[in-house]
Structures are given as C-alpha cells and as structure tokens.
Amino acid sequence: MKRVIFTWLAKACFVASLTTNALAAQSFTTTVPDSVTLFNFDKGFDLSGLQTNDASVSLVKKHGSQQLLLETGIRSGAPGVTIKRPSGSWDLNNYYHVKMDITNAGEHPARIIFKVGDPEDGMEAWQMEIRFDLAPGETKTVSDDIVTTPWRFTKPLNLLAMRAAPGQAKTDLSAINQVKITINYPANEHKLLIDNIRATNPVRWVDPDGFLPFIDRFGQYKHAHWPGKTLSVDDLRQQAKDEQRQLAAEPGPPEFNQYGGWKNGPQLKATGYFRTEKHNGAWWFVDPNGRLFWSHGVGVVHTGTATTGITDRESYFEWLPEKDSPFGKFYSTARRASHGYYKTLEKRETYNFTASNLYQKYGADWREAFGRVTHARIRSWGMNTLGVASDRRLTTDGITPYTETVWVRGTKKIEASKGYWGKFHDVFDPNFKRQLKKALSNREHTINDPWLLGFFIENELSWGAEGSLAIATLESPADQPAKIEFVRDLKNKYQNISDLNQNWGTHYTSWDAILNATKAPDKNKAWTDLSAFYKKIVTTYFATVREALKAVAPNALYLGCRLAWANSDTVIHTAAQYTDVISMNKYQYHVANVGLPEGVDKPILIGEFHFGALDRGALHLGVVSAESQSHRAELYTEYLDSALLNPYIVGTHWFQYAEQPPTGRGDGENYNVGIVDLADKPFPELVKSIKEVGYRFYQFRSAAAENDQLVQPKKPKKMEYIQVDEDMHTRSN
C-alpha cells in the first residue's frame, strides 16, 4: 500500500470519519507494509520476558496456531500481563491501529483493557487504551487507535486543548515497546486466549497548509460534509419549523402521566414526592401520584454544552464575531480546567457555540424557545427525566422531573490520595461539613418540589480499592486531620506502640513517629487496621452528607455520588446504608451484570452512559465506541433492554444532551455524545431508538417481572484483600 500526501484545497471536501474522501493527491511516499507483527506466539516464543500481575501465562495450541493463554485472579484491581519487546522499540508512526485477536475461554463475561505502550503522561496513557466486553466463548479482533484520525500531518501542527486533535499521534509512536492486557476490577477468575498482535492500517499523510481554520461559524468541523450538517442560518430555521410540526404530531407516550410515570400501571401509595419501592421483584421509583416510574433520562441539558476555549486558539475558527455585535454576549471567561492545556492557564476566554446557534435559530427569545422545545423533545422521545447538571431554568419549570446536582468545593483533601477529578475529601476536617452545608444552602426551591427526583451529591469520587484511602492517609503529612484521627484510633486500640509494631511488623519509636512518617506499612500485615479506617472514612462521608441533605430537603431522595471505577464492598454496603438510591456511571455495552454484593438490596440508577462514532463530524468517539450513528442507535436499545431486565436498575441517564465541540470543552473532551448536534439538530438514528424504547419500557419491564424473565446479576465475590490498579487514577471512566 502506498502512503499518499494530500494538500488542503480551498474547495476540498473532507469527510470527518475519513472513510471516503475527495482529496487532491499531490505526491506519494515510499510503500510500507499493510501490517507489522508485534507479537506472534508461534516459533518458540519466550514466556520469560512477560510480566504478570495476579496472573499466569502459558502457550497452547488452538485452531491451528499457538496462542497465549492468560489466566487471571481477583487479588488485583487489574490482573493481567505486560508483553514487552525483548529489546528496543517499534516505530509505529506509519500506522493507525494496533490490533489483537482475543477469545474469552472462561466461564464469566470479562471487562478487558488493552493498552499500547506505557506513556508517562496520564492523559496519553488513558488515550492509548481501549476497554471492551467479551462474553464467554466470544472471539474478537480489537483495534486500539494510536492516531486520532486515519491520516496525519506531514509536518507538525500543534493543535491545543483537545482530547483528539486531527492528524495527531496520541503519544510518541517511535517509542512503543509493549502492550498490556488486563481485566478491569474482576469479581471472578478469567481465561483469555491472545494472538496476532500487530500494527496495521497505514495512515495517509496530509500537508497541513490550509488546514486552519478548521471550525465553521456553527462550531462544526469545517473540512467535512455529512448528512444533516448545518450549512446556513436558513437551514437552522427550517429545521426548527419542521421539528415543531413533528413534536405537535408526536407529543409523547399516551401511557405517561404528567410526571412521565405509568398512568395505566398499578396504583401504589401516593406521598406527593418521588420515592422507591420494590414491586413484583423489581425496584422502581414511585411518582408523587403513586404510579410506577422508571427514569428514562438525559443529563447536562443546558445551553452551554459547546462552550469552548479560544485563548491561544483564535486561528482555529473561521468566524468569531465582534464583541460589540449581538453575538458578543456569547463570549465569557473561565477558570483553570481540570485537565489538558487549559489546566496550565489561570483564566481563558471562551465562546459558546450552543447559545450562538440557538440565537441564530430562534432569535431574541432563544432561551425560552430552548426550554419549550427541549421539554417537548424529551416527552416526545419517551424520556422523562433531566439528569445531572441540567439547567435550573428547565428544572424549575414544573414540566419534566429532574435531579439536583450538588458540588462540594473548597475542602481540605487527603494529600496523598489520587483521583482523576482530584484528591479525596478529608472528611475529618471540620471544613468539610461547613463546605457541604454551604453547597446545599441555595437549594430551598427543592424542599417541597414534587418534580424533584432526588439529589446527586458530587460525582465520580476516587474511592479507590479497599483500604486505599487509609494507605493514602498514612502517606500524607503529619498535620492531615484524617491522619491524626487514624493515629488516635490506633492509640485507643493498641495502647502501646510496641504492640502496634508487633502486629504491623514496623519499628515506630512513638505515636508521633507514625504521624511524621509518609511511607505506608506492609499492606497485608496492617490490613485489619487499614480496612477499618478506610471504612471509617467511607462511613463518615456518607453519614455526613445524608444528615446535611435531609436537614435541607427531608422529603428528597439521596441518589448518591455517581460511583465510577473501583467500588469496594465497603463503599457499596455503606452507600446502601445511607443513600436512598445507589447511582453508578456505567460506560459499558450492557448492564445485565451490574449488581450488588451479598446482603445488599437497593435500587440502582445509571447516572451516565453513552456511545460515540466518527461519521458526523466528531473527532473523538467518547468512552465507549460505536461504528456509526446507526450502530450507536442499536447499542442504545441493547443497553436499555439490559437495564430494564435488571431488577435493581430504576433508570438510565444518557450523557449528554448536546454534542461536545470538536475543539473541546475546558478539559479537552470533544466526544460524539450528544442526542442533538452542535446546531441543535437531533441525531435521527439515535432518537428513533430512544423513542422505540421510550414508548414500551413500562410494559416491557412489568411483563418481564410478571413472567419471571428478569435477569438476576451474579453476586461478586467478597474481597478480603486490597485490589490495586496502578493506572486507575488516570482514567476518566
């Protein structure tokens, strides 16, 4: 295959998915092979160079070839194998994918992470891995993109503040010397057959001259055309007229009552507020009228979704309006971002393409039109809930049930703790309770609001594996309030430092010596005390939050903190004790196996999930990939059906309502995650699936319960030890 170098022409049409192209060929480079083998387990492959973690490896003959058999345990949060090149590195700059053939030879579904290389930068490390599910007996060829697009620039063009910037390698591809295959927080042992790891799909090379600007006046990727792309303001306004007629003709499921509850379903106790109840073996919300309610929702419903930074990136945009024009109100400033380039700047200037497009579409009353159309869309689509971080203008309309989201800022953190969104609160510092009360102080409008489904208090906290926060406490400075509390507990238990030393195998000379030490003891020897204090941190957090929330809104449901990543038995058991609903963000292809530990029976709300593709101008798939918009729609139906058949799950909330901008939000996320695009046009394939589920889910779930067709998730094994995943804190989900 020959690599072709292209130049951008003024009238070139370049499809964002890059599956078809109309490009002007300028020159050719030397031929490169279609693929390069990285690891093949035939021909006397040497196992001695493999690095295993809570796993064993062997070579077996299967289907005419020798394959690597990986057998994993459950003592690690990431059991698996690192396969290193014996010497040197590959230069993979000419390739788009690294692929692997893999079979689940075990008895349990596996959640697998495949990571290429070992970048030091946490964001690069996360970008170089993919996660996928593999059913027992299933074989897949998985592809890990190592370049953001199937083409690359022939010379550097440094594009800032995007998770996936066009034409870029995701890391230094001349320094790849390993791949890593792990199981993500397993509850069971697994067996995987691995074969034929190779670099493949040669990239095309493109001259960057003329690429900038690459964003049009609507915030869309400029060098592309796709079905439904907005090409003019007239296009926007015509779509609004067409949709108005459609929404009037399809106002929503006839069996929805005013709240979106099941009007024709069983009549249960009506309290005037949302509550939960187990009915016919399945958990449900119950609406204020006493009708069964399953929360079919979407989060981040607001007018600022496509707010993007323009500081140091003005050349990216073909149109940025004058600040004294009617569009000047869509400029703003933002503080330091959590990740990416804008983490390095104290302040940045932004432009809000969502609001700008709504203004062009609806005129001066664009805010009112957005609210009216959005409520109508949600109802027409068979949805019934505004999820996390939605616009208060919508949540207080009394039209669609909503969740309230509370963020606790300005607290002291456990200094040695790690987390993608930051370190964990020091819940023993008095300021934690003060800041929590402050965060709840402006929620008076929710106290007696029947439309309130409940409160999310925070999001994706970094609980880590069992015992981890206690370990981080001991690794923190002497003045850490949590550490002072931990040492106080140890003194009360052991009385004498010599007794603790004997138990832990340590040589502390005094209790102050523990305070001043920043190295954790042997985790196995100190496990009893580590796990006890970890539980104390978790319990203190949930108990403090529940007490503060119920003091403000006694009738409101506490929906938890939207668990993600590792969630130990201790976190789940404690959440079940203090929350009314356990919320989890589950970026997977299905949730049939999402369950709770033995002895825990509580409703689960899926706070986030999505699927993304690259065929409509997006530059990043998001967390879970789809092949196309049609595939996104298929995956939505499969996910919702798995949730409806799960007796614990009481709702799913898609993340998010509108598309993220190609140039990224503050932290660089530029995912294809919207139900509507940058110009406020619904993705028709996805909406069709949402509606298909939305008009039948009450009958579907109820019939499954009555006919004993609900799918009971398997109970995970109880972990009596620390599961450690060194890479966990680098992941965004």
Side-chain angles (χ1 to χ4, degrees), residues 302-370:
H302 63 70
T303 59
T305 315
T307 298
T308 192
I310 59 176
T311 299
D312 297 339
R313 306 195 305 168
E314 291 83 356
S315 62
Y316 296 8
F317 307 93
E318 73 172 11
W319 178 82
L320 287 173
E322 296 297 325
K323 293 184 179 178
D324 59 356
S325 74
F327 293 90
K329 56 181 169 289
F330 305 124
Y331 286 100
S332 188
T333 58
R335 295 182 178 180
R336 191 187 303 273
S338 60
H339 294 85
Y341 177 75
Y342 285 129
K343 184 178 181 179
T344 67
L345 303 183
E346 186 64 36
K347 188 171 69 172
R348 65 188 185 276
E349 189 174 20
T350 65
Y351 189 75
N352 183 350
F353 280 99
T354 302
S356 176
N357 290 337
L358 290 169
Y359 174 69
Q360 294 175 86
K361 185 175 185 177
Y362 296 115
D365 65 343
W366 63 272
R367 284 191 183 277
E368 291 73 18
F370 171 78

Coordinates of all heavy atoms in Angstrom, one line a residue, residues 302-370:
H302 N -28.4 21.8 28.9 CA -28.3 23.2 29.1 C -27.8 23.9 27.9 O -27.5 23.2 26.9 CB -27.5 23.6 30.4 CG -26.1 23.1 30.3 ND1 -25.1 23.7 29.5 CD2 -25.4 22.2 31.0 CE1 -24.0 23.1 29.7 NE2 -24.1 22.2 30.6
T303 N -27.6 25.2 27.9 CA -27.3 26.0 26.7 C -25.8 26.3 26.6 O -25.5 27.1 25.7 CB -28.1 27.3 26.7 OG1 -27.8 28.0 27.9 CG2 -29.6 27.0 26.7
G304 N -25.0 25.6 27.4 CA -23.6 25.9 27.3 C -22.7 24.8 26.9 O -21.5 24.8 27.1
T305 N -23.3 23.7 26.4 CA -22.6 22.5 26.1 C -21.4 22.7 25.2 O -20.3 22.0 25.4 CB -23.5 21.4 25.5 OG1 -24.7 21.4 26.2 CG2 -22.9 20.0 25.6
A306 N -21.5 23.5 24.2 CA -20.5 23.7 23.2 C -19.7 25.0 23.5 O -19.2 25.7 22.6 CB -21.0 23.7 21.8
T307 N -19.5 25.3 24.8 CA -18.6 26.4 25.1 C -17.2 25.9 25.0 O -16.8 24.9 25.6 CB -18.9 26.9 26.6 OG1 -20.3 27.3 26.6 CG2 -18.0 28.0 27.0
T308 N -16.4 26.6 24.3 CA -15.0 26.1 24.0 C -14.0 27.3 24.2 O -14.3 28.4 23.9 CB -14.9 25.5 22.6 OG1 -13.7 24.8 22.4 CG2 -15.1 26.6 21.5
G309 N -12.8 27.0 24.6 CA -11.8 28.0 24.8 C -11.3 28.5 23.4 O -11.1 27.8 22.5
I310 N -11.1 29.8 23.4 CA -10.5 30.4 22.2 C -9.1 31.0 22.5 O -8.4 31.3 21.6 CB -11.4 31.5 21.6 CG1 -11.7 32.6 22.6 CG2 -12.7 30.9 21.1 CD1 -12.6 33.7 22.0
T311 N -8.8 31.2 23.8 CA -7.4 31.7 24.1 C -6.3 30.8 23.5 O -6.4 29.6 23.7 CB -7.3 31.8 25.6 OG1 -8.3 32.6 26.2 CG2 -5.9 32.3 26.0
D312 N -5.4 31.5 22.8 CA -4.3 30.8 22.1 C -4.7 29.9 21.0 O -3.9 29.2 20.4 CB -3.5 30.0 23.1 CG -2.8 30.8 24.2 OD1 -2.7 32.0 24.0 OD2 -2.5 30.2 25.3
R313 N -6.0 30.0 20.6 CA -6.5 29.2 19.5 C -7.4 29.9 18.5 O -8.2 29.3 17.8 CB -7.3 28.0 20.1 CG -6.6 27.2 21.2 CD -7.3 25.9 21.5 NE -8.7 26.0 21.8 CZ -9.5 25.0 21.9 NH1 -9.1 23.8 21.6 NH2 -10.8 25.2 22.3
E314 N -7.2 31.2 18.5 CA -8.1 32.1 17.6 C -8.1 31.6 16.2 O -9.1 31.8 15.5 CB -7.7 33.5 17.8 CG -8.0 34.2 19.1 CD -6.9 33.9 20.2 OE1 -6.0 33.1 19.9 OE2 -7.1 34.4 21.3
S315 N -7.0 31.1 15.7 CA -6.8 30.7 14.3 C -7.6 29.5 13.9 O -7.7 29.1 12.8 CB -5.3 30.5 14.0 OG -4.8 29.4 14.7
Y316 N -8.2 28.8 14.9 CA -8.9 27.6 14.6 C -10.3 27.9 14.0 O -10.9 27.0 13.4 CB -9.1 26.8 15.9 CG -7.9 26.2 16.6 CD1 -6.6 26.6 16.2 CD2 -8.0 25.4 17.7 CE1 -5.5 26.1 16.9 CE2 -6.9 24.9 18.4 CZ -5.7 25.2 18.0 OH -4.6 24.8 18.6
F317 N -10.8 29.1 14.2 CA -12.2 29.4 13.9 C -12.3 30.3 12.7 O -11.6 31.4 12.7 CB -12.8 30.0 15.2 CG -12.7 29.2 16.4 CD1 -11.6 29.5 17.3 CD2 -13.6 28.2 16.7 CE1 -11.4 28.7 18.4 CE2 -13.4 27.5 17.9 CZ -12.3 27.7 18.7
E318 N -13.1 30.0 11.8 CA -13.3 30.8 10.6 C -14.2 32.0 10.9 O -14.1 33.0 10.2 CB -13.9 30.0 9.4 CG -15.3 29.7 9.6 CD -15.9 29.1 8.3 OE1 -15.1 28.8 7.4 OE2 -17.1 28.9 8.2
W319 N -14.9 32.0 12.0 CA -15.8 33.1 12.4 C -15.9 33.2 13.9 O -16.3 32.3 14.6 CB -17.2 32.8 11.8 CG -18.2 33.8 12.2 CD1 -18.4 35.0 11.5 CD2 -19.2 33.8 13.2 NE1 -19.5 35.7 12.1 CE2 -20.0 34.9 13.1 CE3 -19.5 32.8 14.2 CZ2 -21.0 35.2 14.0 CZ3 -20.6 33.1 15.1 CH2 -21.3 34.3 15.0
L320 N -15.3 34.3 14.4 CA -15.6 34.7 15.8 C -16.1 36.2 15.7 O -15.4 37.1 15.2 CB -14.3 34.7 16.6 CG -13.8 33.3 16.9 CD1 -12.4 33.3 17.6 CD2 -14.8 32.5 17.9
P321 N -17.3 36.4 16.2 CA -18.0 37.7 16.0 C -17.3 38.8 16.7 O -16.6 38.6 17.7 CB -19.4 37.4 16.4 CG -19.3 36.3 17.5 CD -18.1 35.5 17.0
E322 N -17.6 40.0 16.3 CA -17.2 41.2 17.1 C -17.8 41.2 18.4 O -19.0 40.9 18.6 CB -17.5 42.5 16.3 CG -16.8 42.6 15.0 CD -15.3 42.7 15.1 OE1 -14.8 43.3 16.1 OE2 -14.6 42.2 14.2
K323 N -17.1 41.7 19.4 CA -17.7 41.7 20.8 C -18.7 42.7 21.0 O -19.5 42.6 22.0 CB -16.5 41.8 21.8 CG -15.6 40.6 21.8 CD -14.5 40.6 22.8 CE -13.7 39.3 22.8 NZ -12.6 39.4 23.8
D324 N -18.8 43.7 20.2 CA -19.8 44.7 20.3 C -21.0 44.4 19.4 O -22.0 45.2 19.2 CB -19.3 46.1 20.0 CG -18.7 46.3 18.6 OD1 -18.7 45.2 17.9 OD2 -18.3 47.4 18.2
S325 N -21.1 43.2 18.8 CA -22.2 42.8 18.0 C -23.2 42.1 18.9 O -23.0 41.8 20.1 CB -21.7 41.8 16.9 OG -21.4 40.5 17.5
P326 N -24.4 41.7 18.3 CA -25.4 41.0 19.1 C -24.8 39.6 19.6 O -25.4 39.0 20.6 CB -26.5 40.8 18.1 CG -26.4 41.9 17.2 CD -24.9 42.1 17.0
F327 N -23.8 39.1 19.0 CA -23.2 37.8 19.4 C -22.2 38.0 20.5 O -21.7 37.0 21.0 CB -22.5 37.1 18.2 CG -23.5 36.7 17.2 CD1 -23.8 37.5 16.1 CD2 -24.1 35.4 17.2 CE1 -24.7 37.1 15.1 CE2 -25.0 35.0 16.2 CZ -25.3 35.9 15.2
G328 N -21.9 39.2 20.9 CA -20.8 39.5 21.9 C -21.2 38.8 23.2 O -20.3 38.5 24.0
K329 N -22.5 38.7 23.5 CA -22.9 38.1 24.8 C -22.5 36.6 25.0 O -22.7 36.1 26.1 CB -24.4 38.3 25.0 CG -25.3 37.7 23.9 CD -26.8 38.0 24.2 CE -27.7 37.7 23.0 NZ -27.5 38.6 21.9
F330 N -22.1 36.0 23.9 CA -21.7 34.6 24.0 C -20.2 34.4 24.3 O -19.8 33.2 24.4 CB -22.1 33.9 22.7 CG -23.6 34.0 22.4 CD1 -24.0 34.6 21.2 CD2 -24.6 33.7 23.3 CE1 -25.4 34.7 20.9 CE2 -25.9 33.9 23.1 CZ -26.3 34.4 21.8
Y331 N -19.5 35.5 24.4 CA -18.1 35.4 24.9 C -18.2 35.4 26.5 O -19.1 35.9 27.1 CB -17.3 36.6 24.5 CG -16.9 36.6 23.0 CD1 -17.6 37.4 22.1 CD2 -15.8 35.9 22.6 CE1 -17.2 37.4 20.8 CE2 -15.4 35.9 21.3 CZ -16.1 36.6 20.4 OH -15.7 36.6 19.1
S332 N -17.2 34.7 27.0 CA -17.1 34.7 28.5 C -15.7 34.3 28.9 O -14.8 34.1 28.0 CB -18.1 33.6 29.1 OG -18.1 33.7 30.5
T333 N -15.4 34.2 30.2 CA -14.1 33.7 30.7 C -14.4 32.5 31.6 O -15.4 32.4 32.2 CB -13.4 34.8 31.4 OG1 -14.2 35.3 32.5 CG2 -13.0 36.0 30.5
A334 N -13.4 31.7 31.7 CA -13.5 30.5 32.6 C -12.1 30.4 33.3 O -11.1 30.8 32.8 CB -13.8 29.3 31.8
R335 N -12.2 29.7 34.5 CA -11.0 29.5 35.3 C -10.2 28.3 34.8 O -10.6 27.6 33.8 CB -11.4 29.4 36.7 CG -12.0 30.6 37.3 CD -12.3 30.4 38.8 NE -12.8 31.6 39.4 CZ -13.2 31.7 40.7 NH1 -13.1 30.7 41.5 NH2 -13.6 32.9 41.2
R336 N -9.2 28.0 35.5 CA -8.3 26.8 35.2 C -9.1 25.5 35.0 O -10.0 25.2 35.8 CB -7.3 26.7 36.3 CG -6.1 25.7 35.9 CD -5.3 25.5 37.2 NE -4.7 26.8 37.7 CZ -3.6 27.3 37.3 NH1 -2.9 26.7 36.3 NH2 -3.2 28.4 37.8
A337 N -8.8 24.8 34.0 CA -9.5 23.5 33.7 C -8.9 22.4 34.6 O -7.8 22.5 35.1 CB -9.5 23.1 32.3
S338 N -9.6 21.3 34.7 CA -9.1 20.1 35.5 C -8.1 19.3 34.8 O -7.2 18.7 35.4 CB -10.3 19.2 35.8 OG -10.9 18.7 34.6
H339 N -8.0 19.4 33.4 CA -7.1 18.6 32.6 C -6.7 19.4 31.4 O -7.4 20.3 31.0 CB -7.6 17.2 32.3 CG -7.8 16.3 33.5 ND1 -9.0 16.4 34.2 CD2 -7.1 15.4 34.0 CE1 -8.9 15.5 35.2 NE2 -7.8 14.9 35.1
G340 N -5.7 18.9 30.7 CA -5.3 19.4 29.4 C -4.6 20.8 29.4 O -4.2 21.3 30.4
Y341 N -4.5 21.4 28.2 CA -3.8 22.6 28.1 C -4.3 23.7 28.9 O -3.5 24.5 29.5 CB -3.9 23.1 26.6 CG -3.2 24.4 26.3 CD1 -1.8 24.5 26.3 CD2 -3.9 25.5 26.1 CE1 -1.2 25.7 26.1 CE2 -3.3 26.8 25.9 CZ -1.9 26.8 25.9 OH -1.3 28.0 25.7
Y342 N -5.6 23.8 29.1 CA -6.2 24.9 29.9 C -6.0 24.7 31.4 O -6.4 25.6 32.2 CB -7.6 25.2 29.5 CG -7.8 25.9 28.1 CD1 -8.6 25.4 27.2 CD2 -7.1 27.0 27.9 CE1 -8.7 26.0 25.9 CE2 -7.2 27.7 26.7 CZ -8.0 27.2 25.7 OH -8.1 27.8 24.5
K343 N -5.5 23.6 31.8 CA -5.1 23.4 33.2 C -3.9 24.3 33.5 O -3.6 24.7 34.7 CB -4.8 22.0 33.5 CG -4.4 21.7 34.9 CD -4.2 20.2 35.1 CE -3.9 19.9 36.6 NZ -3.6 18.4 36.8
T344 N -3.1 24.7 32.5 CA -1.9 25.5 32.7 C -2.2 27.0 32.7 O -1.3 27.7 33.1 CB -0.9 25.2 31.5 OG1 -1.5 25.7 30.3 CG2 -0.7 23.7 31.4
L345 N -3.4 27.4 32.4 CA -3.8 28.8 32.4 C -4.7 29.1 33.5 O -5.7 28.4 33.7 CB -4.4 29.2 31.1 CG -3.5 28.9 29.8 CD1 -4.3 29.5 28.6 CD2 -2.2 29.6 29.9
E346 N -4.5 30.2 34.2 CA -5.4 30.6 35.3 C -6.8 31.0 34.8 O -7.8 30.8 35.5 CB -4.8 31.7 36.1 CG -5.5 32.1 37.4 CD -5.6 31.0 38.4 OE1 -4.6 30.3 38.6 OE2 -6.6 30.9 39.1
K347 N -6.8 31.6 33.6 CA -8.0 32.1 33.1 C -8.0 31.9 31.5 O -6.9 32.1 30.9 CB -8.3 33.5 33.5 CG -9.6 34.1 33.1 CD -9.8 35.4 33.8 CE -9.0 36.5 33.2 NZ -9.3 37.9 33.7
R348 N -9.1 31.7 30.9 CA -9.2 31.6 29.5 C -10.5 32.3 29.0 O -11.5 32.3 29.7 CB -9.2 30.1 29.0 CG -10.4 29.3 29.5 CD -10.2 27.8 29.2 NE -11.4 27.1 29.5 CZ -11.7 26.6 30.7 NH1 -10.9 26.8 31.7 NH2 -12.8 25.9 30.9
E349 N -10.4 32.7 27.7 CA -11.6 33.3 27.1 C -12.3 32.2 26.4 O -11.7 31.3 25.8 CB -11.3 34.4 26.1 CG -12.5 35.1 25.6 CD -12.1 36.4 24.8 OE1 -10.9 36.4 24.3 OE2 -13.0 37.2 24.6
T350 N -13.7 32.2 26.3 CA -14.5 31.1 25.7 C -15.5 31.8 24.8 O -15.9 32.9 24.9 CB -15.2 30.3 26.7 OG1 -16.1 31.1 27.4 CG2 -14.2 29.7 27.7
Y351 N -16.0 30.9 23.9 CA -17.2 31.3 23.1 C -18.2 30.1 23.1 O -17.8 29.0 23.0 CB -16.8 31.6 21.6 CG -17.9 32.1 20.8 CD1 -18.3 33.5 21.0 CD2 -18.7 31.4 19.9 CE1 -19.4 34.0 20.3 CE2 -19.8 31.9 19.2 CZ -20.1 33.2 19.4 OH -21.2 33.7 18.7
N352 N -19.4 30.5 23.3 CA -20.5 29.5 23.5 C -21.2 29.3 22.1 O -22.1 30.0 21.8 CB -21.5 30.0 24.5 CG -22.6 29.0 24.8 OD1 -22.7 28.0 24.1 ND2 -23.3 29.2 25.9
F353 N -20.8 28.2 21.4 CA -21.4 28.0 20.1 C -22.9 27.4 20.3 O -23.7 27.6 19.4 CB -20.6 27.0 19.3 CG -19.4 27.6 18.6 CD1 -18.1 27.6 19.2 CD2 -19.6 28.3 17.4 CE1 -17.1 28.2 18.5 CE2 -18.5 28.9 16.8 CZ -17.2 28.9 17.4
T354 N -23.2 26.7 21.4 CA -24.5 26.3 21.6 C -25.5 27.4 21.6 O -26.5 27.5 20.9 CB -24.6 25.5 22.9 OG1 -23.7 24.4 22.9 CG2 -26.1 24.9 23.1
A355 N -25.2 28.4 22.5 CA -26.1 29.6 22.6 C -26.1 30.4 21.3 O -27.2 30.9 20.9 CB -25.7 30.4 23.8
S356 N -25.0 30.5 20.7 CA -24.9 31.3 19.5 C -25.8 30.7 18.4 O -26.5 31.4 17.7 CB -23.4 31.3 19.0 OG -23.3 31.9 17.8
N357 N -25.7 29.4 18.3 CA -26.6 28.7 17.3 C -28.1 28.8 17.6 O -28.9 28.9 16.7 CB -26.2 27.2 17.2 CG -24.8 27.1 16.5 OD1 -24.3 27.9 15.8 ND2 -24.1 25.9 16.8
L358 N -28.4 28.7 18.9 CA -29.8 28.8 19.3 C -30.3 30.2 19.0 O -31.4 30.4 18.6 CB -29.9 28.5 20.8 CG -29.7 27.0 21.2 CD1 -29.6 26.9 22.7 CD2 -30.9 26.2 20.7
Y359 N -29.4 31.2 19.2 CA -29.8 32.6 18.9 C -30.1 32.8 17.4 O -31.1 33.4 17.0 CB -28.7 33.5 19.3 CG -28.9 35.0 19.0 CD1 -29.9 35.7 19.5 CD2 -28.0 35.6 18.0 CE1 -30.0 37.1 19.2 CE2 -28.2 36.9 17.7 CZ -29.2 37.7 18.3 OH -29.3 39.0 17.9
Q360 N -29.2 32.2 16.6 CA -29.4 32.2 15.1 C -30.7 31.5 14.7 O -31.3 31.8 13.7 CB -28.2 31.7 14.4 CG -26.9 32.5 14.6 CD -25.7 31.9 14.0 OE1 -25.4 32.1 12.8 NE2 -25.0 31.1 14.8
K361 N -31.0 30.4 15.4 CA -32.1 29.5 15.1 C -33.4 30.1 15.5 O -34.4 30.1 14.7 CB -31.9 28.2 15.7 CG -32.9 27.1 15.4 CD -32.5 25.8 16.0 CE -33.4 24.7 15.6 NZ -33.0 23.3 16.1
Y362 N -33.5 30.7 16.7 CA -34.8 31.1 17.3 C -35.0 32.6 17.5 O -36.1 33.1 17.8 CB -35.0 30.4 18.6 CG -35.1 28.9 18.6 CD1 -34.1 28.1 19.2 CD2 -36.2 28.3 17.9 CE1 -34.2 26.7 19.1 CE2 -36.3 26.9 17.9 CZ -35.3 26.1 18.5 OH -35.4 24.8 18.4
G363 N -33.9 33.3 17.4 CA -34.0 34.8 17.5 C -33.8 35.2 19.0 O -33.3 34.5 19.8
A364 N -34.3 36.4 19.3 CA -34.1 37.0 20.6 C -34.6 36.2 21.8 O -34.1 36.3 22.9 CB -34.7 38.4 20.6
D365 N -35.7 35.4 21.6 CA -36.2 34.6 22.7 C -35.7 33.2 22.6 O -36.4 32.2 23.0 CB -37.8 34.6 22.6 CG -38.3 33.9 21.4 OD1 -37.5 33.7 20.4 OD2 -39.5 33.6 21.4
W366 N -34.4 33.1 22.3 CA -33.8 31.7 22.1 C -33.8 30.9 23.4 O -34.0 29.7 23.4 CB -32.4 31.8 21.5 CG -31.4 32.6 22.4 CD1 -31.2 33.9 22.5 CD2 -30.6 32.0 23.4 NE1 -30.3 34.2 23.4 CE2 -29.9 33.1 24.0 CE3 -30.3 30.7 23.9 CZ2 -28.9 32.9 25.0 CZ3 -29.4 30.5 24.9 CH2 -28.7 31.6 25.4
R367 N -33.7 31.6 24.5 CA -33.7 30.8 25.8 C -35.0 30.2 26.0 O -35.1 29.0 26.4 CB -33.3 31.7 27.0 CG -31.9 32.1 27.1 CD -31.6 32.7 28.4 NE -30.2 33.1 28.5 CZ -29.2 32.3 28.9 NH1 -29.4 31.1 29.2 NH2 -27.9 32.8 29.0
E368 N -36.1 31.0 25.9 CA -37.4 30.4 26.1 C -37.7 29.3 25.1 O -38.3 28.3 25.4 CB -38.5 31.5 25.9 CG -38.4 32.6 27.1 CD -37.2 33.5 27.0 OE1 -36.6 33.6 25.9 OE2 -36.9 34.1 28.0
A369 N -37.3 29.5 23.8 CA -37.5 28.5 22.8 C -36.8 27.2 23.1 O -37.3 26.1 22.9 CB -37.1 29.0 21.4
F370 N -35.5 27.4 23.6 CA -34.8 26.2 24.0 C -35.5 25.4 25.1 O -35.6 24.2 25.0 CB -33.4 26.6 24.5 CG -32.6 25.5 25.2 CD1 -32.0 24.5 24.4 CD2 -32.5 25.3 26.5 CE1 -31.3 23.5 24.9 CE2 -31.8 24.2 27.1 CZ -31.2 23.3 26.3

